[in-house]
Amino acid sequence: MKGKAIVRHYHHNNNNSNSNSNSSIDGGGGSGIRLEIQSDTLVTPPATPEITLVLAVPFPMRIKALWPVIASFTSVTRVVIVKGQLSNPEFNATKNLLPEVYHPLIEKGMMQGGHTRQLKVDVCIGDDDGIVSKQLLERLGLLCNNRDDNSDDGGDGIARLFLDCEDDEMKTSPPRAARTVVLDHCGKSSSLTTTTTKTTTTTPPSAIIAIGPERGWTTDEATLFTTECGFEAATLGNSILRVDTAVIAGIGIVSAALDECHELLARGEGSIIRGDEEKEDVKRQRKDG
């Protein structure tokens, strides 16, 4: 909710026998401020793009440094920590995955980002969770419930990106750029609208990003995500990135693409990819002319 509030300064005199409600704030004396919410100004903010980050357990000090950075992105609403096949088992015991450690860091990032949207965290590294699997992702609600095998986008319009810098299987079929994947999926999701008698509401675009540990994802995990779970292999470029760099770069690129998508869809401009292709056609025509 968003709205207005009035800051009131108060001063309470201990000698005043007629105590008022302010005295209960500071135990009966002194002065301070009180924030009064104006209920008649409260409104529900419009829906905005959302990103879920699936991250294999990284080096402990890196995840500690990443918490406030991740939380500073307004679009990131959920972080899921999983175990990859090449994750270091010793990292599972780090205190940086405990709520009492990451909650203050998340709040710091929210203040830096200037927003109040809470970041949900799921740490799935227990013995019962096991290595990342289709069953785990399904239990976490990260798979498309209405998936159509004939649909390129999985059926729900959510862009699911599987990021890995090095994979021999992917070299024969180079993955598309992360931005292109997001715009393509969001363009297909333009039909996901809710129509009433008065208004038509477009569902904000969303994305799920899967990033592996320091040693990367294995070929089996790549097959799991891209073949069984509806993710598409995507790239951030030719550079080999550290996990923390890939997380920041990936969220930044995907977040910007989702914002672009959301703005264009809100204006009713239809397919975003088609718009990019039309721009390229114009450039080629100018060059040929």
Side-chain angles (χ1 to χ4, degrees):
M1 301 292 288
K2 289 186 176 181
K4 297 180 180 180
I6 297 177
V7 178
R8 297 190 184 278
H9 296 265
Y10 69 87
H11 178 75
H12 182 72
N13 188 350
N14 288 329
N15 296 327
N16 187 357
S17 58
N18 297 323
S19 60
N20 54 39
S21 59
N22 290 338
S23 62
S24 62
I25 298 176
D26 61 349
S31 60
I33 60 174
R34 180 174 57 193
L35 189 66
E36 296 182 356
I37 305 297
Q38 306 299 294
S39 59
D40 58 332
T41 67
L42 294 177
V43 295
T44 301
T48 55
E50 297 184 0
I51 294 176
T52 294
L53 173 65
V54 179
L55 179 62
V57 185
F59 187 72
M61 293 307 297
R62 285 180 182 159
I63 186 60
K64 183 177 182 180
L66 277 172
W67 283 125
V69 179
I70 294 173
S72 67
F73 285 94
T74 307
S75 54
V76 180
T77 58
R78 186 182 183 189
V79 175
V80 179
I81 305 295
V82 299
K83 288 189 294 186
Q85 293 182 5
L86 299 180
S87 295
N88 190 328
E90 296 180 358
F91 296 169
N92 297 338
T94 176
K95 295 181 179 179
N96 296 329
L97 295 177
L98 298 176
E100 56 265 32
V101 175
Y102 62 69
H103 276 159
L105 298 174
I106 288 175
E107 291 178 357
K108 180 179 179 181
M110 291 168 60
M111 289 188 290
Q112 175 67 37
H115 67 90
T116 58
R117 184 153 71 171
Q118 292 291 330
L119 177 65
K120 181 181 179 182
V121 178
D122 294 297
V123 179
C124 305
I125 58 175
D127 294 335
D128 295 337
D129 299 312
I131 302 296
V132 62
S133 63
K134 181 178 181 179
Q135 291 73 23
L136 176 61
L137 296 177
E138 185 174 15
R139 176 165 62 85
L140 292 168
L142 300 178
L143 301 186
C144 179
N145 294 326
N146 59 332
R147 186 174 181 185
D148 181 358
D149 292 336
N150 296 322
S151 175
D152 294 334
D153 67 349
D156 60 358
I158 297 177
R160 291 173 169 84
L161 294 84
F162 176 78
L163 296 181
D164 200 6
C165 297
E166 286 290 315
D167 192 289
D168 293 336
E169 297 294 329
M170 295 182 185
K171 291 180 180 178
T172 57
S173 178
R176 297 192 296 169
R179 177 181 178 274
T180 302
V181 173
V182 173
L183 295 182
D184 189 16
H185 281 264
C186 291
K188 293 172 183 176
S189 70
S190 60
S191 60
L192 300 178
T193 58
T194 302
T195 303
T196 64
T197 56
K198 294 183 179 180
T199 60
T200 299
T201 303
T202 301
T203 303
S206 301
I208 303 174
I209 310 172
I211 297 179
E214 274 78 3
R215 296 167 63 190
W217 298 111
T218 64
T219 301
D220 290 340
E221 289 171 327
T223 301
L224 166 70
F225 276 94
T226 59
T227 303
E228 301 180 28
C229 298
F231 282 70
E232 179 176 344
T235 179
L236 300 177
N238 296 325
S239 301
I240 300 177
L241 307 176
R242 295 194 327 182
V243 172
D244 48 352
T245 306
V247 168
I248 298 171
I251 294 176
I253 291 173
V254 172
S255 178
L258 288 176
D259 288 341
E260 180 182 353
C261 218
H262 187 44
E263 180 180 353
L264 292 177
L265 291 178
R267 295 204 302 254
E269 296 190 8
S271 174
I272 298 170
I273 293 298
R274 189 185 305 118
D276 285 349
E277 292 175 347
E278 290 174 354
K279 292 178 182 179
E280 292 298 324
D281 290 339
V282 171
K283 290 181 180 179
R284 283 194 293 268
Q285 291 175 3
R286 291 177 178 176
K287 184 176 180 180
D288 296 337

